[in-house]
Amino acid sequence: MAAAEEDELLLPRLPELFETSKQILDEVEVAAEPTGSRRIQEKVLKGLQLLNTAAEMISQLDLFSPNEDLEEIASTDLKYLMLPAFQGALTLKQVNASKRLDHLQWAREHFLNYLTQCQNYHVAEFELPQTKNNSAENNTTGSSMAYPNLIAMASQRQAKIQRYKQKKEMEQRLSVLKLVVESGEADDECVREYHLLHLRRWIGISLEEIESIDQEITILKGKDSCKEASTSHSSREDRPPMKPFILTRNEAQAKVFGAGYPSLASMTVNDWYEQHRKFGALPDQGIAKETSEVKRAGRQQKDEELKEKEDDKRTVQQAREWDDWKDTHPRGYGNRQNMG
């Protein structure tokens, strides 16, 4: 009995677990070194373990009940509502590539649990993201409702702008309240407002994270499907090539009537080339063995062409001289003796 009481005293209290895990999350968020480094990953795992322990303690203490309103929760207990959001944020910091899809789904579940809890307590006015079942139903009916989808996109854009403005206002107000709360001079109303602002801030963060998670899940699933298609295609390419065959009833019919189409190739291109090279029937071999008669015939043909060109020049010159003579000697110029 005494040993059990000593163990309970050694266990960290719920406020210590919450503050330590929150501090780890803040350090990971502002760390300058890569998220995949060993030091950061050790912090992430430690923070997740602390948050899991704190969540178990909250469930054992029954701090929150769906039957109570937000006003009935103590101001000092409001901060514990953010535990699922912290779990989702740290889960996203894990960098195991082989388990990335599982980490995304776990983080989405944590963020969705946080948003559902905040909506049940009416912490702020917002719309819950679509679950897997709702998204599947919308995909089946989306093709016949193109116009409403445009309206939904416009409303989502407007909601993002509104959340951004609220985020800036909350950050300014939180910076002021943080100094008062940490000084220990804040009253219960100030502490309550401080924690409520943190809850509303994490509502906006959770909505943005779920949207990015859904996009990344779609990309990863498409990547996996492409890998499956490529592996199946490569397995088809690895099959041995089929041997050619003749579409005839039997071998005897093929010998008598033939295959019904041109015969198959009997030699390769290299065999054909070697065979023609031996007989000197290749084009380059024929050009190299030109005889003197061929050369003489070619020379004669060139001489005839030159002679034809000279005759053409002479004919043109005579025609020009005849035209000039007709210009200076009109018709009937030399027959004027018998004129009356």
Side-chain angles (χ1 to χ4, degrees), residues 48-108:
L48 288 173
Q49 291 174 358
L50 295 175
L51 289 171
N52 291 333
T53 305
E56 292 177 359
M57 294 179 68
I58 289 174
S59 63
Q60 292 175 0
L61 295 172
D62 291 333
L63 287 181
F64 308 112
S65 173
N67 298 325
E68 61 183 357
D69 296 331
L70 185 64
E71 291 78 10
E72 299 177 10
I73 301 176
S75 300
T76 55
D77 295 339
L78 286 173
K79 58 185 178 181
Y80 300 127
L81 289 172
M82 291 185 288
L83 280 179
F86 291 173
Q87 287 177 316
L90 283 177
T91 303
L92 286 178
K93 298 298 181 181
Q94 294 177 305
V95 294
N96 191 348
S98 60
K99 297 182 179 180
R100 181 59 179 172
L101 187 59
D102 295 334
H103 293 161
L104 290 173
Q105 292 173 350
W106 294 339
R108 191 184 194 280

Side-chain angles (χ1 to χ4, degrees), residues 29 39 44 75 78 95 142 170 210 216 262 271 285 302 305 338-339:
E29 290 286 350
R39 178 172 170 271
V44 169
S75 300
L78 286 173
V95 294
M170 283 188 291
I210 286 179
E216 188 172 354
D271 296 338
Q285 292 176 337
K302 290 181 180 179
E305 291 177 356
N338 298 326
M339 295 180 62

Side-chain angles (χ1 to χ4, degrees), residues 216-234:
E216 188 172 354
I217 287 176
T218 304
I219 294 172
L220 290 177
K221 288 183 177 179
K223 188 178 180 181
D224 293 338
S225 62
C226 291
K227 285 183 179 179
E228 292 177 359
S230 62
T231 53
S232 62
H233 183 67
S234 61

Side-chain angles (χ1 to χ4, degrees), residues 284-299:
D284 53 352
Q285 292 176 337
I287 294 171
K289 295 181 180 180
E290 283 185 347
T291 59
S292 59
E293 296 179 357
V294 176
K295 294 181 179 179
R296 191 182 303 110
R299 195 180 300 111

Side-chain angles (χ1 to χ4, degrees), residues 226-329:
C226 291
K227 285 183 179 179
E228 292 177 359
S230 62
T231 53
S232 62
H233 183 67
S234 61
S235 63
R236 292 178 183 176
E237 291 180 350
D238 294 339
R239 296 176 182 175
M242 296 179 64
K243 296 181 179 181
F245 57 91
I246 300 174
L247 296 176
T248 54
R249 291 186 178 181
N250 50 44
E251 187 177 357
Q253 182 180 358
K255 291 180 179 180
V256 176
F257 299 103
Y261 49 86
S263 60
L264 301 174
S266 58
M267 66 175 66
T268 63
V269 177
N270 293 329
D271 296 338
W272 178 89
Y273 185 85
E274 291 295 332
Q275 183 179 358
H276 282 67
R277 187 178 63 80
K278 291 179 181 179
F279 293 103
L282 294 176
D284 53 352
Q285 292 176 337
I287 294 171
K289 295 181 180 180
E290 283 185 347
T291 59
S292 59
E293 296 179 357
V294 176
K295 294 181 179 179
R296 191 182 303 110
R299 195 180 300 111
Q300 290 178 357
Q301 185 176 359
K302 290 181 180 179
D303 295 341
E304 290 178 358
E305 291 177 356
L306 292 174
K307 186 177 180 181
E308 288 178 358
K309 289 181 180 179
E310 292 177 357
D311 293 341
D312 292 340
K313 291 181 180 179
R314 190 179 298 107
T315 303
V316 171
Q317 185 65 27
Q318 289 178 357
R320 289 178 179 174
E321 292 177 354
W322 175 247
D323 291 338
D324 294 340
W325 188 86
K326 287 195 296 182
D327 292 339
T328 55
H329 298 76

